[in-house]
Amino acid sequence: MRTKFRGLTTREVLLFEGPNGWAEWSPFTEYEDEEASIWLKAAIEWAFGDIPKTDVKNIKVNATLPAVKDVQKALEPFGKFEVVKIKVAEAGQTLQDDLDRIHQVREHHPDARIRLDANGNWDIETALKIAKTIYQENVPLEYLEQPVRTIAEMAELKLKLQEFNIKIAADESVRKVSDPLAVAQAKAADILVLKVAPLGGINNALAIAKEAGLPVVVSSALETSVGISMGAHLAALLGSEYASGLGTAALLEIDVTDTPLIPVDGKIPVTRIVPNIDALAKLQAADSTTWWMKRFESSLKCLT
Ligand SMILES: [Mg+2]
């Protein structure tokens, strides 16, 4: 990783090839087999399964700003962008740090629309406080992403935010296959952030989005470009009005391919990614290979 993200500085993934092309299986290392197996289902579908086709060539993506001091340097790899997601409410940072980061982004990118991602770390009171400030400062806010932790808190906050005309998107509240409907039924969000791997693949994610009936933002789980290509395909099929959170190849120091899905003018192509064999040899996580193969076998058992 270029900068620390989700507490990570390196990302481990397992890649394999099927008749459709290359797929990535990259559940975070702390996940148990059962959860990891859902991610595996998605990867197997991408490499071997029946997936609806699309003629869409490109999708819009947002830039992502981690909770760092040097805003310009962190945004540089994203090039030009229309939408930027700013990470807020990180441990060790104050509300003022977050506001400073928002101000810096507005100064250098006055036309960009802003998303704030709190990863569920605010309470309702804090979220309302920042919402009020943002409203007063006329920040061009697209939405607040997972401002608070629980579905009940999200529902309460959503009601209270109506007077500021601020939308909220559910991310961490949507992890399991049953979650999107629970969020929609509780009226806990205006928008759903969907990640294809934790939802068990493109076909599942399509069904879930349809059933929930809310606008969707397809997002990455810090994958390499191989994993991101699966999300881009889902985003193309969904045709959401919102830019996807799939520009995250720009957060990687090195990728597995010569044609990484780095955003150009706020877009990435919808295409299959072929890893570069030399890059794979160079990036091989030799110390973890045995662990990953064992994990692969035990997660595969959960699927059968
Ligand atoms: Mg998020």
Side-chain angles (χ1 to χ4, degrees):
M1 313 295 301
R2 280 178 196 278
T3 48
K4 202 162 152 190
F5 204 85
R6 200 187 172 275
L8 291 177
T9 48
T10 28
R11 185 76 168 99
E12 287 191 4
V13 310
L14 185 148
L15 303 177
F16 56 84
E17 192 182 12
N20 297 345
W22 283 82
E24 169 171 337
W25 181 50
S26 50
F28 293 97
T29 50
E30 71 272 18
Y31 287 4
E32 302 287 342
D33 287 342
E34 202 172 319
E35 189 169 10
S37 72
I38 298 168
W39 293 52
L40 183 55
K41 196 178 160 207
I44 290 172
E45 181 195 69
W46 186 233
F48 296 89
D50 285 329
I51 295 162
K53 297 205 175 352
T54 174
D55 294 328
V56 174
K57 297 277 184 285
N58 296 287
I59 53 154
K60 287 191 281 180
V61 295
N62 64 268
T64 303
L65 176 62
V68 293
K69 282 258 178 293
D70 197 339
V71 166
Q72 280 306 89
K73 192 177 161 217
L75 285 178
E76 204 181 39
F78 291 94
K80 274 198 283 178
F81 53 83
E82 284 176 19
V83 188
V84 55
K85 172 162 106 170
I86 305 176
K87 286 280 180 185
V88 292
E90 290 236 335
Q93 298 227 340
T94 64
L95 215 53
Q96 194 55 50
D97 292 330
D98 292 341
L99 286 172
D100 288 347
R101 212 158 43 250
I102 295 167
H103 293 155
Q104 277 195 63
V105 169
R106 289 194 73 193
E107 191 186 323
H108 296 289
H109 305 275
D111 296 328
R113 294 192 301 285
I114 289 174
R115 301 171 176 179
L116 300 181
D117 185 2
N119 296 103
N121 286 332
W122 284 329
D123 52 27
I124 290 181
E125 200 187 336
T126 311
L128 279 172
K129 201 168 134 189
I130 202 152
K132 204 171 165 184
T133 310
I134 281 164
Y135 180 75
Q136 283 164 349
E137 292 185 5
N138 274 319
V139 174
L141 186 76
E142 240 185 8
Y143 56 76
L144 296 179
E145 183 170 324
Q146 196 76 36
V148 289
R149 198 168 306 273
T150 68
I151 290 182
E153 285 173 307
M154 291 280 283
E156 188 184 337
L157 183 63
K158 183 173 168 308
L159 271 180
K160 290 180 170 163
L161 285 174
Q162 276 174 359
E163 68 170 298
F164 304 115
N165 199 18
I166 287 178
K167 291 189 173 121
I168 56 178
D171 182 7
E172 281 82 356
S173 288
V174 184
R175 277 297 171 272
K176 295 196 304 285
V177 171
S178 57
D179 291 341
L181 292 181
V183 167
Q185 276 160 9
K187 297 192 172 25
D190 303 284
I191 295 147
L192 292 177
V193 178
L194 298 186
K195 297 178 179 161
V196 59
L199 295 177
I202 286 177
N203 286 299
N204 260 1
L206 285 171
I208 286 163
K210 197 174 165 196
E211 219 173 326
L214 288 173
V216 167
V217 172
V218 180
S219 198
S220 94
L222 283 183
E223 293 105 331
T224 73
S225 288
V226 174
I228 291 172
S229 67
M230 178 168 68
H233 194 88
L234 173 64
L237 291 171
L238 284 170
S240 172
E241 62 186 292
Y242 289 100
S244 301
L246 293 168
T248 53
L251 297 171
L252 300 176
E253 186 70 47
I254 317 171
D255 206 332
V256 296
T257 173
D258 297 331
T259 52
L261 297 177
I262 306 260
V264 176
D265 292 336
K267 286 180 185 163
I268 61 167
V270 178
T271 180
R272 289 269 173 180
I273 294 293
V274 180
N276 175 317
I277 299 303
D278 293 334
L280 288 188
K282 209 170 117 195
L283 290 167
Q284 190 183 4
D287 294 344
S288 319
T289 305
T290 312
W291 182 84
W292 271 97
M293 289 313 291
K294 271 194 193 140
R295 185 190 205 198
F296 179 75
E297 277 173 38
S298 51
S299 296
L300 196 58
K301 275 188 197 135
C302 293
L303 283 181
T304 50

